[in-house]
Amino acid sequence: MKKIFDTTFTIKEVVATGIGAALFVVIGMVSIPTPVPNTSIQLQYAVQALFGVVFGPIVGFLTGFIGHALKDSLQYGNPWWTWVIASGLFGFVVGLLKNQLRVAEGVFEAKDIVRFNGVQFLANALLWIVIAPIGDIWIYNEPTNKVFTQGVVVAISNGLTVAVAGTLLLIAYARTQTKSGSLKKD
């Protein structure tokens, strides 16, 4: 039985976390506004999904958690912790697919795409429609209708962004990997 995640953190994972968090910040500075206040279409979740699937749930979590906290601090002066936590948890959940998908072996087929997108859509729905809004209500005393509306818009936009850009990134990454058994001795 495979472990969900190893307790050791390699240099490669530390570097991946740093690069992933930096990309999360930089890409997150570019956003497409939606009609709902304080929500926008964000492309960094596709990159976070790539890092989660390739490096696992801890790197996926830290990429989103650190990246979102830094992005909020730079853009707004302080982090909105409920959304920072939701971003981290998204990377963790998607990162759980590391041992189920074979992108590191150069394989990302239709069934893998369906599994990846099923998990990421469910994670986005749970985190942005349930977890983040409840946290906003409990911690920040935000109006219920406002936070649930924001959550639905964010879940849909993040889900679609990851479905398109995240899937394309994973396909591209898988194509750069050598498939096992593809090398033959002459």
Side-chain angles (χ1 to χ4, degrees), residues 78-161:
N78 58 355
W80 194 264
W81 289 109
T82 52
W83 286 44
V84 169
I85 291 166
S87 289
L89 289 173
F90 173 76
F92 183 86
V93 171
V94 173
L96 291 172
L97 290 171
K98 178 184 181 205
N99 293 331
Q100 296 175 24
L101 300 177
R102 298 171 296 151
V103 293
E105 298 166 25
V107 178
F108 194 62
E109 301 166 339
K111 67 180 181 177
D112 303 312
I113 292 169
V114 169
R115 175 178 275 170
F116 166 71
N117 280 296
V119 168
Q120 71 89 1
F121 270 113
L122 285 172
N124 271 307
L126 176 66
L127 293 165
W128 298 112
I129 299 173
V130 179
I131 304 296
I134 289 171
D136 286 351
I137 294 164
W138 285 348
I139 296 169
Y140 297 112
N141 296 317
E142 289 287 318
T144 302
N145 61 338
K146 172 189 165 193
V147 295
F148 283 107
T149 301
Q150 288 174 329
V152 168
V153 170
V154 170
I156 292 168
S157 66
N158 285 358
L160 292 173
T161 300

Side-chain angles (χ1 to χ4, degrees), residues 13-38:
E13 291 166 327
V14 171
V15 171
T17 298
I19 292 170
L23 287 171
F24 192 101
V25 171
V26 172
I27 296 168
M29 294 294 184
V30 178
S31 59
I32 303 161
T34 69
V36 177
N38 299 320

Side-chain angles (χ1 to χ4, degrees), residues 31-66:
S31 59
I32 303 161
T34 69
V36 177
N38 299 320
T39 61
S40 56
I41 297 169
Q42 301 282 305
L43 301 175
Q44 71 268 26
Y45 291 99
V47 173
Q48 181 189 15
L50 171 71
F51 276 75
V53 169
V54 171
F55 296 102
I58 302 301
V59 171
F61 175 83
L62 292 172
T63 293
F65 185 85
I66 294 168

